[in-house]
Amino acid sequence: MLAPRALRSVLCALSCAWWLRVQAASRLKSPALPIQPEREPLPFRATSGCLFGGQFYSLEDKWHPDLGDPFGVMHCVQCYCEPQQKNRRGKVHGKVNCKNVKQDCPALDCDDPVQLPGHCCKTCQEDDKKYSDSELLSSLDYFHQKGKEEDDLHKSYNDRSYLSSEDMGSDENRSEFVAVLTGVKDSWLLGSSGVGRIRFTLTRNSLTFSVTYKRMSRPSKIVFLESDGAAVFEHKIPKGHSDMICGVWKNIAKPLLRLLQSEQMHVSMTSSMGRREEVEGRIIKHRALFAETFSSILTSEEENSAMGGIAMLALSDNQNNLHFILILQGLVKHTGKEPVLVPIQVQLMYRHHILREIQANITSHDPDFAEVLTDLNSRELFWLSRGQLEIAVATEGQEPRQILGFISGRKSCDTIQSVMSSGSALTPLKTGGAGSAVFILHNNGTLQYQIQAGGLTSDVTGLTIELKPRRRNKRSILYDLTPEYSHVTGQAVGSFSRMEARHIHMLLQNELFINVATAHNQEGELRGLIKSLPYSGLEAPRHELPTLLAGRFLSPPIRTGASGHAWVSLDSHCHLHFEIIVAGLSQADDPTMNAHLHGLAEIGEIADSSVTHKTLLSGFYGSKAQGVLKDISVELLKHLNQGTAFIQVSTKLNLQGEIRGQIHVPNNCEFGTRGGAEEDREEEFDDPSFKDPEDLKKHPHTCFFEQHYHAHGSNWTPNYDKCVSCSCHKRTVICDPAICPALTCSRTVKLEDQCCPMCEDRKEAKDMKAPEMVEEHPEGCYFEGDQKMHAPGTTWHPFVPPFGYIKCAVCSCKGSTGEVHCEKVTCPVLTCSHPVRRSPTDCCKVCPEEEKTPAGLDHRDMMQADSPRHCKFGKNYYQNSDNWHPWVPVVGEMKCINCWCDHGVTKCQRKQCPVLTCSNITRMEGSCCPECIDDEEEDDVMMKAPDKRRAWRHH
């Protein structure tokens, strides 16, 4: 392992090289797309891991740092995210350690080892069979990892996507888990009668979860626990009235993933409303989760019972048999070490009348039970579809105990939806139309629907929910919704209360279709599969109809078989959350798609304004793209508010767009985005300003000043001086006196309620011409930074807590509108060679009174941005036009790469090697380019320098 000082040098150099890679990519290379991806967001603040070179790595990850062109991957340097000790809050931090692995290369006994591409150590060339066998598995791992990297190349840096089932291969890591939560018996709290059920879906390193509960008030938080009870993640639940709670745990560290996969993780749920309750359970895998279509939460009528369970049920595909699995917790009382058999009764009831009864034995250590109820009759199936059947489990003996619950359709945070396209019709078409549908299944079997269609060739004549055709082009219609369709709005909104149990089962198994027939296409112009869209954790309004994306919405229209829909919303930080689903596009012909957001007032301006108004949202291979766009221009936010923005999906065949939809997101984001979404979302629960004064006193970050408590991040004007602004930053109060900008006018005046003087150059109203007469805003301008009113015409330096007054910007109050206008101070061009900054708070440098000529270059001179700039690379500074070979710790000087300073921008380029046409090519140690060598020269070279081995060679 490297020494600490050398390690810091490695990290500094690698980070600088990574920064250089980003700069070089934007300056020396032309992008593959006509637009640039957005900046990559930082990971969730509560996540444990390491941030290195702009990439986030989980604990215990290993990687070779990629410095980008022209450096490439440093295969002889291996970095490791090492877990550190827990802090006082129990959080594990990561620390990056890098080492040179070239010294670990094995000694070779061959005469002519070769350097294989992508490897650090040389390999004996004659050991071909050994190489092919030993490298086979690593090659497979390489292509697997390469596939992931290829995926990431087509993703936006703002993309936080979670794959749907059809987007993943069979080898993707997607697992289902479940937890049954009951009252904690050994807690100081009374045992709760509440029962919770949490269904988890793990995709890569993100865990989404859906929570339902009975016999307890709404929970306030969910905590994930290790086997020893240590908390590893906490999800705070916002207030609401829904009985469904949704959440996501992103970027789970690898050690915690192993605990989850090995079923060694618990989860607890706490309710703080009324009497404090806590329920807890272990997270387990269960293969029944993939087939489950009906479910039930089983609770006890006893107070403080601390017992419960769940039932997972599904109908047979071809028979009316009801399969079910019971997971019970706390029902069996047994404290012995040896398992015992416990007799139970399982009853299927309707209004307390027993319809079916099963007697069986379960073990005290494994109280799960599975069985099949065969040949349900039509009445039982009807009651099942209406949510009127109950399932009860009771123990027999002197102290019988019972838990029971109603059976209903499976509940989760997933969205039942469909995208209808002409390419998915029974007879595939290319009309350019699109359709969209969103469904909600209620406990009583009622199916609520919202359906829309647009860009059709003719009027709609049929809107139906259908089965998969048993014969070609032979439709099987289940429900006709045509009477509910409005030709005026192009929508059908309503509910259907006659869903059969079989059809509910098929709906939740993604086996139903929706079909739109038109006058020109009687059998169907649009068709789509009704399927569940997994919950993603984004703030997308899935309960609303999404925006249609169709080829006919382009200008000029495109006749395509593809279509899509998109949910778009803005959060409280003015960050754009988006989810885009497409259908009907042949992936064989077009394996890649790119989704773009346009902020254009007129459609005709797309081709001329693509650089200005086009922002990359995400790139994706499958049918879905979702994520968060943070850095949104004020102009684009205005277009979203006005409804003149568009989402467009472009393909390889249609680079200017294949489907598009107009979006309207009303907002009050006149000043742009407001900070990091994920980090601020965590703070909104902990911000003391939202709590009562007693909680504010107890908060560890609260400040006490002038007999008042102030929340962390707040700012105010103190009583002792109205021209001072104070702010609270983690128990520290910072107060700054107002700094007034310099005025260039001859006469100034200072108003009583203002801290800074202003120019007295206003003309009398009678001396002004009519066009010049402007009525000033009577109250002036309110500035959020210092939370003060400023008189019309005044100028000031903005106050930005906790940094104080920023002298590199000047704000002014427009008297006519009451608007605040701020702009950056432009520093003058200086003629002296060594300007100085008179005060640390000054924005611009000035020439000193006496010119000094120091021997070396002071690194503080780099701060002046308005004169010819120098370059910093690693720990060294270079003058403009300097040339050098970069030096990387552990690796040394890279003589094959030339760097130079170009007006403050460091640029590097690998030496260009000529194209060789000879058959024998070699590269000697210390040489940048390969050379031709004939057999005689080769023998001569080997005789003169037997210890000089070729780095690589091929014939």
Side-chain angles (χ1 to χ4, degrees), residues 185 259 669 714 731 815 911:
K185 296 182 180 179
L259 288 179
C669 302
S714 62
R731 299 179 61 184
K911 182 179 179 180

Side-chain angles (χ1 to χ4, degrees), residues 37 82 97 143 190 200 222 280 314 399 406 567 624 679 723 735 833 900 905 907 922:
E82 180 180 0
N97 283 321
F143 283 112
L190 292 175
F200 306 89
I222 298 172
E280 184 178 327
E399 297 182 1
F406 284 96
W567 284 281
K624 180 172 62 175
E679 297 179 4
C723 291
C735 294
S833 58
W900 66 96
V905 178
K907 298 181 179 180
T922 186

Side-chain angles (χ1 to χ4, degrees), residues 691-757:
K691 302 179 180 179
D692 56 41
E694 293 300 323
D695 290 338
L696 186 60
K697 294 180 183 179
K698 300 176 183 178
H699 198 277
H701 292 166
T702 298
C703 299
F704 185 73
F705 186 78
E706 291 185 334
Q707 306 303 316
H708 290 89
Y709 290 95
H710 299 273
H712 164 66
S714 62
N715 53 288
W716 66 94
T717 299
N719 297 328
Y720 70 86
D721 194 340
K722 298 298 182 182
C723 291
V724 172
S725 294
C726 299
S727 63
C728 173
H729 185 71
K730 293 183 178 181
R731 299 179 61 184
T732 301
V733 176
I734 304 173
C735 294
D736 296 277
I739 301 176
C740 300
L743 302 178
T744 58
C745 52
S746 58
R747 298 178 59 187
T748 62
V749 62
K750 187 176 183 298
L751 303 180
E752 292 185 0
D753 58 343
Q754 299 295 316
C755 297
C756 296

Side-chain angles (χ1 to χ4, degrees), residues 161-453:
S161 60
Y162 308 94
L163 298 179
S164 61
S165 57
E166 75 174 54
D167 294 335
M168 298 187 308
S170 58
D171 58 341
E172 286 283 1
N173 182 19
R174 181 181 176 89
S175 305
E176 299 282 345
F177 300 84
V178 69
V180 181
L181 284 65
T182 56
V184 182
K185 296 182 180 179
D186 56 353
S187 172
W188 60 273
L189 298 170
L190 292 175
S192 173
S193 298
V195 180
R197 170 199 162 124
I198 307 182
R199 179 174 181 141
F200 306 89
T201 301
L202 177 64
T203 305
R204 295 182 179 174
N205 62 345
S206 295
L207 186 72
T208 58
F209 48 89
S210 306
V211 184
T212 52
Y213 54 94
K214 298 288 185 182
R215 292 210 65 188
M216 65 181 297
S217 57
R218 183 176 176 85
S220 57
K221 66 178 179 179
I222 298 172
V223 181
F224 290 79
L225 309 167
E226 293 182 359
S227 55
D228 59 357
V232 294
F233 178 75
E234 181 176 310
H235 174 77
K236 294 193 175 181
I237 303 172
K239 295 181 180 180
H241 302 287
S242 173
D243 59 351
M244 175 68 66
I245 298 172
C246 309
V248 59
W249 180 7
K250 295 185 285 292
N251 297 323
I252 306 177
K254 285 188 176 181
L256 298 180
L257 283 176
R258 288 195 289 267
L259 288 179
L260 180 66
Q261 294 283 9
S262 60
E263 301 183 354
Q264 299 182 39
M265 189 173 289
H266 289 69
V267 61
S268 72
M269 190 163 62
T270 305
S271 171
S272 59
M273 297 293 293
R275 181 172 71 89
R276 181 181 172 89
E277 296 181 87
E278 182 180 2
V279 292
E280 184 178 327
R282 186 165 63 99
I283 303 176
I284 61 173
K285 288 183 180 179
H286 215 296
R287 57 184 179 182
L289 292 167
F290 287 97
E292 177 192 21
T293 51
F294 295 89
S295 63
S296 176
I297 295 180
L298 311 179
T299 62
S300 171
E301 297 180 355
E302 301 177 15
E303 292 296 329
N304 308 323
S305 61
M307 63 178 176
I310 64 171
M312 295 182 287
L313 309 96
L315 286 173
S316 301
D317 291 336
N318 301 318
Q319 297 176 325
N320 294 329
N321 299 334
L322 185 63
H323 301 253
F324 67 90
I325 291 179
L326 302 175
I327 301 179
L328 311 175
Q329 193 163 294
L331 180 66
V332 178
K333 286 185 176 181
H334 180 68
T335 58
K337 294 183 179 181
E338 296 297 327
V340 296
L341 290 178
V342 179
I344 62 169
Q345 287 182 343
V346 182
Q347 298 172 339
L348 190 68
M349 299 187 299
Y350 171 72
R351 294 184 178 178
H352 303 292
H353 294 287
I354 299 175
L355 304 177
R356 307 280 184 108
E357 185 175 82
I358 299 174
Q359 294 184 346
N361 293 324
I362 61 174
T363 63
S364 57
H365 286 192
D366 187 16
D368 296 356
F369 177 73
E371 191 53 88
V372 180
L373 298 175
T374 59
D375 297 326
L376 268 63
N377 57 43
S378 59
R379 290 186 306 166
E380 293 170 334
L381 290 171
F382 175 80
W383 292 329
L384 176 63
S385 67
R386 297 298 182 268
Q388 297 174 346
L389 286 184
E390 280 185 289
I391 186 168
V393 183
T395 60
E396 298 178 351
Q398 296 181 351
E399 297 182 1
R401 314 179 77 193
Q402 185 187 53
I403 54 177
L404 73 164
F406 284 96
I407 303 172
S408 62
R410 184 190 69 215
K411 304 286 289 184
S412 73
C413 297
D414 300 344
T415 302
I416 306 174
Q417 52 85 51
S418 178
V419 178
M420 294 167 279
S421 67
S422 57
S424 301
L426 292 179
T427 302
L429 304 169
K430 290 187 177 182
T431 66
S436 174
V438 178
F439 302 90
I440 299 176
L441 180 64
H442 296 278
N443 290 338
N444 61 0
T446 299
L447 184 66
Q448 184 179 341
Y449 57 84
Q450 299 179 79
I451 306 171
Q452 61 179 338

Side-chain angles (χ1 to χ4, degrees), residues 834-835 837 845 854 856-864 870-872 875-878:
H834 297 286
R837 185 171 281 103
K845 289 185 177 183
L857 180 65
D858 190 352
H859 70 277
R860 291 171 296 181
D861 292 335
M862 307 303 167
M863 298 178 64
Q864 183 72 7
H870 310 283
C871 297
K872 180 182 178 182
K875 293 185 177 181
N876 299 321
Y877 294 90
Y878 299 91

